[in-house]
Amino acid sequence: MSAFLYGVLLQWKLDIRSKSLLITCYLVPLLFFAVMGEIFSSIDPEAKYTLIQSMTVLGVSTGALLGLPPSIIEIYGSDIKKVYKANGVSLHLGLITMFLSAFIHLLIMCMIIYIVAPIAFDATLPASLPLYFCSLAIFIAVSLSIGSVLGLWVKNQAKLTMISQVIFLPSMMLSGIMFPTDLLPDFFKNVGKIFPATWGYEMMRDDGFNFGNLWPLAIIIAIMVILSNLKLKRLKSK
């Protein structure tokens, strides 16, 4: 257990030095939060009630879908994975340590938004702190599971960037964080339900932690875990 915790800590320190992860987990989300927080609160006074949730969804999605996959492909898409096999280390270990490291980074970023939003933009804090952070942890885990699958299954960086954007952009536009989903046509409203951002946003809102918002996320993460295990077993057999 001590070796595993050391691996997570080491990966976390390495990620701090990674410009890619630093940009996608901190710089871009917090910069967008600073700009859009001012715009949202100026245009719509009611935005303060969901500003923390909407900016959190954007930040988590950015880090999980655009930041984590390139880090994974650097290991599992190259000869580095042979080092794991040569030393008798499970291929799962690298993915798990990167997953947990990214989880910690995203949680720190979300806590910054949680603390700063009420001070800077008079945003309203969630009614229940435990339920909010429980919902947040679930949403981060589900989003990172998708990023993990992208990093494992996509073989080159160019395709990875394109596919990540194809998932990221609709997640932001159709999840309700930019504008109410009631304004969307039924077709796009239903398409938005495919992405975890929609359910994560709803679950983090007041009174949103319920089975109706939880089961889609449970299904998504279950599918992602199966796909990740399948890919790692294929890599191990090569």
Side-chain angles (χ1 to χ4, degrees), residues 85-142:
K85 297 170 71 174
N87 289 277
V89 178
S90 172
L91 290 178
H92 288 76
L93 182 62
L95 180 63
I96 293 173
T97 54
M98 284 189 285
F99 183 100
L100 292 177
S101 174
F103 185 98
I104 296 171
H105 283 295
L106 290 177
L107 188 59
I108 293 172
M109 180 271 297
C110 292
M111 291 180 66
I112 293 173
I113 293 176
Y114 185 90
I115 294 170
V116 173
I119 301 172
F121 307 116
D122 194 30
T124 302
L125 292 173
S128 174
L129 182 64
L131 288 180
Y132 172 76
F133 277 100
C134 183
S135 301
L136 174 60
I138 294 171
F139 175 59
I140 293 176
V142 175

Side-chain angles (χ1 to χ4, degrees), residues 14-204:
L14 290 173
D15 288 340
I16 291 178
R17 300 178 182 180
S18 170
K19 293 182 180 179
S20 174
L21 210 62
L22 184 65
I23 291 173
T24 53
C25 286
Y26 291 101
L27 185 58
V28 171
L30 293 177
L31 190 59
F32 193 92
F33 161 64
V35 175
M36 296 307 296
E38 181 65 32
I39 294 175
F40 283 178
S41 57
S42 299
I43 295 177
D44 182 12
E46 298 296 316
K48 67 179 183 179
Y49 295 110
T50 57
L51 183 64
I52 293 175
Q53 292 87 339
S54 59
M55 293 297 99
T56 296
V57 167
L58 183 137
V60 171
S61 299
T62 302
L65 300 178
L66 304 181
L68 179 62
S71 298
I72 293 177
I73 203 173
E74 284 180 5
I75 293 179
Y76 294 98
S78 67
D79 290 335
I80 298 178
K81 64 179 181 292
K82 294 181 181 179
V83 177
Y84 282 83
K85 297 170 71 174
N87 289 277
V89 178
S90 172
L91 290 178
H92 288 76
L93 182 62
L95 180 63
I96 293 173
T97 54
M98 284 189 285
F99 183 100
L100 292 177
S101 174
F103 185 98
I104 296 171
H105 283 295
L106 290 177
L107 188 59
I108 293 172
M109 180 271 297
C110 292
M111 291 180 66
I112 293 173
I113 293 176
Y114 185 90
I115 294 170
V116 173
I119 301 172
F121 307 116
D122 194 30
T124 302
L125 292 173
S128 174
L129 182 64
L131 288 180
Y132 172 76
F133 277 100
C134 183
S135 301
L136 174 60
I138 294 171
F139 175 59
I140 293 176
V142 175
S143 299
L144 288 174
S145 70
I146 296 176
S148 299
V149 169
L150 291 176
L152 287 172
W153 283 89
V154 182
K155 295 184 178 180
N156 65 70
Q157 191 67 51
K159 289 183 179 179
L160 178 62
T161 301
M162 181 181 67
I163 295 174
S164 296
Q165 290 288 353
V166 167
I167 297 175
F168 174 77
L169 293 176
S171 295
M172 299 302 94
M173 298 303 297
L174 305 178
S175 62
I177 69 171
M178 298 295 182
F179 44 79
T181 54
D182 293 339
L183 300 177
L184 293 171
D186 289 340
F187 173 76
F188 289 111
K189 191 183 301 184
N190 290 328
V191 171
K193 294 178 181 179
I194 299 174
F195 305 103
T198 301
W199 302 106
Y201 176 61
E202 291 296 329
M203 191 164 63
M204 285 188 287

Side-chain angles (χ1 to χ4, degrees), residues 199-214:
W199 302 106
Y201 176 61
E202 291 296 329
M203 191 164 63
M204 285 188 287
R205 298 174 67 176
D206 293 344
D207 301 321
F209 190 84
N210 53 60
F211 182 74
N213 293 326
L214 187 58

